[in-house]
Amino acid sequence: MAKTQRTMRTVALLAGLALAEVLAMPQPLDAQTSTRSKARSSSTRSRSRATTTRRAKAPVVPVLRHTTPRGAEALTGDLGTLLSSRTRNGEWGALVVSITRGDTLFSRGADSKLVPASTMKLFTAAIALEKLGPEHTYSTDVLRDGPLSDAGVLSGNLVLRGDGDPSLSTRFVRGGPGAAMSLLAQFTAGAGIKRVTGNLIADASAFESRRIPEGWLSRYAGAGYAAPFSALSLNENIVIVGVTAGSSGGGAKVFLEPASTALTVTNTVRTVSGSGSRITARRVGDDRVVVSGTIGARAGTVKYQLVVGDPVTFTAGAFRAALEAQGVQVDGDIIVGRTPASATVVTSLPSPPLARLISVMNRESINLLAEQIYRSAPRGPSRLGVGSAQTAGATLQDFLVNEVGVPAGAVRATDGSGLSVLDSVTPRALVELLAHAHRAPWGSAFHASLPVAGESELLRNRMRATPAQGNLHAKTGTTNDVIGLSGYVTAENGEILAFAFLYNGKDRWHARETIDAMGPTMAAFTRD
């Protein structure tokens, strides 16, 4: 009887899915244009022959719906059916475990090693919260190496020392892209420094010197989501290029936000009549920005963004420009180096607590935040050693094997964001991490960092008007070849379920639709 009921549930679930699936996938623009062109051509030929031809309509595929399973066996069957319903290729890995009762409710390829995309940020969040604590703050420091006279003359070098703070940006500091450096410059001037006879030393030695993680594809270069990382980073290592029109026939004004003495601007933009603009802004090397083209006299100001090449000198150059704006003169050059042991702290700019940074990292899936936070974890609260992908990876493996109970080799982490194509994880490792985080002292901060289905950030438009809305908390993962979702959902009977769904393949739109049906199905699940 039970077997007959399961068969009937499967048939009912698939009854609306037997039609062709072609309309369920969004067509590329060229395909849509081709279809319209063919339709017009066919219509023209039909009219010329004075005949009427009825074109066959493509079958409409219904949206994949969630179910309301009653009992563990029904949930297992429904999730299995959904997982097999739509995707036409690729590989799935999935695991659903009840944290409340400790049993496995669904498993499919749970030990397969798959590319995680941004679900990797769950590991970054956990290791940072474990090693640093939710209240940990970063500190960007200004130090002096030399005596300061009563007249405000520093006879020596001024040092800008980075701690890997990822929050020196408009996401966290009000006042524009250069606001963080402006604050430090104000504090420095307020400490009595008016002139520096030596150099401005930029110390980014807290992190490895490598700027781009292993496994990031070359086609990511220049994209804002793949900006380089550094212990000294500003505005997520993006510079805004602004162009303001002048009078027609004349030149145009070009400015940078934040202003940085480390970047030289070459401007050949001409002002023409009208309100349109044809402008090209590009970076040449690490220290030059070239802006060319035309801008209409009525265009006002237009802005573009460029990824910086060298975050360390860019940030130091922004600090120097901010010092100049405060009337502080630096006689020497910007030198990349280490803080002398004899240096004295002048002032500091603290970050928000780590819990808030992780919340932004996970909810908005910011890769730069993840790379900075990942490399900070092995340094610990005492800030010892150099933060690198290697030291962070070793710290993560030790944590997973000895604290979480994940088998060695189940997780391969070459970066902290999941953008690397060399990363791999198993769904089981993700669920075991989620279960551990649920019980950890920092579990509330971890939970709060996750987007909420139908309500916030990357899940705002997913699973709306379903049992998952306002209930399911999970981290997304999306690239051209990956769709993932991993987190928590509360079942109808109050059980807390931890789940991991990972898909690697080309049919990611159907994979996302599948996940968005499985989420509410888990939320609607109940059992005695």
Side-chain angles (χ1 to χ4, degrees):
M1 180 64 178
K3 182 176 181 181
T4 302
Q5 289 177 337
R6 289 197 302 272
T7 303
M8 291 177 66
R9 290 181 62 83
T10 301
V11 171
L13 189 60
L14 292 175
L17 305 177
L19 302 176
E21 295 179 352
V22 64
L23 292 185
M25 280 287 288
Q27 293 182 333
L29 182 59
D30 56 348
Q32 295 173 352
T33 303
S34 175
T35 301
R36 290 195 295 268
S37 299
K38 290 178 181 178
R40 287 195 296 269
S41 175
S42 175
S43 176
T44 301
R45 288 196 299 270
S46 296
R47 287 197 298 271
S48 67
R49 293 194 301 267
T51 60
T52 302
T53 303
R54 177 171 295 178
R55 301 180 66 198
K57 292 183 178 180
V60 177
V61 177
V63 175
L64 199 58
R65 302 291 185 184
H66 70 273
T67 67
T68 56
R70 296 296 180 258
E73 189 175 356
L75 176 64
T76 301
D78 288 359
L79 292 179
T81 300
L82 289 168
L83 201 66
S84 305
S85 298
R86 282 284 165 88
T87 50
R88 298 167 295 189
N89 54 52
E91 182 179 3
W92 276 102
L95 184 66
V96 180
V97 169
S98 171
I99 294 180
T100 303
R101 298 196 186 186
D103 57 338
T104 297
L105 297 169
F106 181 76
S107 179
R108 178 80 61 83
D111 295 304
S112 298
K113 295 180 180 179
L114 300 170
V115 179
S118 282
T119 58
M120 176 62 75
K121 292 182 175 71
L122 292 173
F123 294 98
T124 295
I127 191 64
L129 289 168
E130 173 74 15
K131 298 301 179 181
L132 299 173
E135 300 303 317
H136 175 81
T137 58
Y138 294 86
S139 179
T140 304
D141 304 324
V142 177
L143 306 94
R144 60 177 176 86
D145 183 29
L148 179 64
S149 72
D150 293 339
V153 177
L154 169 59
S155 298
N157 299 321
L158 193 66
V159 181
L160 178 65
R161 182 174 63 191
D163 187 30
D165 186 357
S167 73
L168 303 178
S169 75
T170 54
R171 293 183 195 276
F172 301 95
V173 184
R174 294 181 178 179
M181 292 301 105
S182 293
L183 282 173
L184 272 177
Q186 290 175 32
F187 298 160
T188 302
I193 297 178
K194 297 179 180 179
R195 179 186 169 197
V196 178
T197 63
N199 299 315
L200 175 59
I201 298 176
D203 184 353
S205 60
F207 285 176
E208 61 183 316
S209 59
R210 181 171 187 161
R211 303 173 189 171
I212 301 296
E214 183 183 9
W216 283 21
L217 300 179
S218 58
R219 61 183 171 86
Y220 300 159
Y225 62 80
F229 65 86
S230 168
L232 265 178
S233 292
L234 176 65
N235 200 42
E236 296 173 21
N237 295 327
I238 291 173
V239 62
I240 307 300
V241 181
V243 183
T244 301
S247 58
S248 184
K253 177 185 177 182
V254 173
F255 59 91
L256 301 180
E257 294 179 342
S260 176
T261 61
L263 294 175
T264 301
V265 177
T266 300
N267 170 23
T268 61
V269 179
R270 295 180 297 108
T271 302
V272 298
S273 61
S275 57
S277 60
R278 296 175 63 86
I279 295 173
T280 299
R282 58 192 176 92
R283 196 189 77 236
V284 178
D286 289 341
D287 60 356
R288 186 174 166 218
V289 174
V290 177
V291 191
S292 59
T294 61
I295 183 171
R298 299 194 305 274
T301 298
V302 295
K303 294 184 177 182
Y304 307 84
Q305 73 172 30
L306 291 177
V307 172
V308 303
D310 182 357
V312 182
T313 56
F314 166 69
T315 304
F319 180 52
R320 182 170 188 164
L323 286 171
E324 292 174 355
Q326 292 294 320
V328 179
Q329 176 185 337
V330 179
D331 294 347
D333 300 320
I334 293 175
I335 304 295
V336 177
R338 291 179 176 269
T339 302
S342 58
T344 302
V345 174
V346 174
T347 188
S348 299
L349 184 64
S351 74
L354 179 65
R356 184 183 170 198
L357 304 185
I358 285 177
S359 180
V360 173
M361 176 190 77
N362 279 339
R363 285 174 172 261
E364 300 181 35
S365 208
I366 309 299
N367 294 326
L368 183 103
L369 266 70
E371 296 304 332
Q372 306 275 109
I373 292 170
Y374 185 59
R375 285 161 180 78
S376 301
R379 302 187 72 220
S382 58
R383 296 170 169 84
L384 297 177
V386 177
S388 67
Q390 183 176 4
T391 58
T395 302
L396 176 62
Q397 290 299 324
D398 179 72
F399 167 68
L400 290 175
V401 173
N402 296 318
E403 301 295 331
V404 181
V406 172
V411 175
R412 182 189 183 192
T414 57
D415 70 357
S417 63
L419 194 58
S420 172
V421 296
L422 300 179
D423 293 336
S424 65
V425 307
T426 66
R428 191 180 305 281
L430 277 165
V431 169
E432 288 176 342
L433 177 77
L434 291 166
H436 178 87
H438 184 72
R439 298 185 295 268
W442 39 264
S444 59
F446 186 87
H447 268 275
S449 75
L450 302 177
V452 181
E455 294 187 357
S456 63
E457 286 81 25
L458 297 177
L459 289 179
R460 185 181 305 278
N461 297 316
R462 296 177 61 179
M463 293 174 271
R464 301 185 70 177
T466 73
Q469 180 168 350
N471 174 355
L472 183 146
H473 296 61
K475 182 70 195 77
T476 57
T478 306
T479 67
N480 289 339
D481 302 308
V482 179
I483 286 289
L485 192 70
S486 187
Y488 307 95
V489 64
T490 302
E492 187 177 300
N493 66 339
E495 287 185 61
I496 298 176
L497 312 182
F499 65 89
F501 301 134
L502 277 179
Y503 168 81
N504 287 187
K506 299 297 183 181
D507 198 6
R508 63 188 182 98
W509 294 107
H510 280 151
R512 171 172 157 160
E513 182 186 11
T514 299
I515 290 173
D516 286 358
M518 292 195 292
T521 296
M522 293 186 295
F525 160 69
T526 188
R527 60 176 167 176
D528 296 331

